[in-house]
Amino acid sequence: MRENMKYYRIHTGDIAYLTKQPRGIFTAVGKLVDAKIMNEEEIAEYRRNREYFEKVLPVPPFYEQGNPDRAITWFKDTKAGNDIYEQMTFYRKMLAKYDVKLYRSEIEEIPGEIIYEDDFQIAVKNQRADLDIKISEEKIEQM
């Protein structure tokens, strides 16, 4: 049942090469790891967090093929979607520490063609250009 469902993305201002959309929170922290910006202790914590989220938040199967449809994932504004986002404190903390601004995009309609869905999120391809997306800076509390 998707009627009156809201969706949101948490992302940076950087545009991802593949999707041409703002880079999501998981990828943003992954980029800090890849660039060796985070210290060894933080990278170890990143790996623990990544392992946890890969267990509790389904990874859409199209990522295994390199995301050929250039899909974008949106959290569902539901108890499950909000609870999983609230658990991402490490990711928010690292982005705040390394001065990476986070934004929240919100929408009140399905933003494109759904190619994946679970209790927490949807993934869409062919995101519509005429969407009324409300974008605000995501306030990160000092943790």
Side-chain angles (χ1 to χ4, degrees):
M1 180 179 133
R2 291 192 201 112
E3 202 166 314
N4 297 323
M5 172 105 42
K6 294 180 184 179
Y7 304 94
Y8 63 97
R9 293 192 72 227
I10 306 300
H11 57 84
T12 67
D14 294 337
I15 301 299
Y17 172 77
L18 179 66
T19 64
K20 308 293 188 244
Q21 295 293 323
R23 193 178 314 280
I25 188 170
F26 287 118
T27 305
V29 176
K31 292 288 183 187
L32 294 176
V33 172
D34 293 346
K36 299 182 179 12
I37 292 172
M38 293 165 55
N39 65 43
E40 288 181 29
E41 183 180 303
E42 291 166 343
I43 291 172
E45 183 66 20
Y46 164 77
R47 290 189 177 120
R48 285 190 291 275
N49 273 271
R50 181 175 173 166
E51 182 179 324
Y52 169 76
F53 282 106
E54 286 178 352
K55 285 180 186 168
V56 299
L57 178 63
V59 177
F62 56 81
Y63 284 123
E64 291 175 15
Q65 292 84 42
N67 194 3
D69 291 322
R70 297 179 168 100
I72 299 294
T73 53
W74 291 77
F75 288 109
K76 293 178 174 180
D77 189 5
T78 60
K79 181 171 178 11
N82 296 333
D83 285 350
I84 202 74
Y85 175 62
E86 286 303 314
Q87 292 179 51
M88 295 177 196
T89 54
F90 171 79
Y91 292 85
R92 293 191 302 272
K93 180 180 173 183
M94 287 299 97
L95 292 169
K97 178 179 179 179
Y98 292 105
D99 295 320
V100 178
K101 274 190 183 176
L102 276 180
Y103 298 90
R104 181 184 190 98
S105 288
E106 297 179 339
I107 191 155
E108 296 187 19
E109 59 188 304
I110 297 170
E113 180 185 337
I114 295 177
I115 62 169
Y116 175 82
E117 183 171 7
D118 60 39
D119 290 343
F120 309 98
Q121 63 191 334
I122 60 171
V124 299
K125 67 178 185 177
N126 304 323
Q127 184 165 297
R128 295 187 1 241
D130 65 340
L131 295 170
D132 181 20
I133 300 174
K134 292 171 184 52
I135 302 173
S136 59
E137 192 171 327
E138 180 76 344
K139 300 296 179 194
I140 303 173
E141 297 173 20
Q142 292 302 320
M143 298 175 206

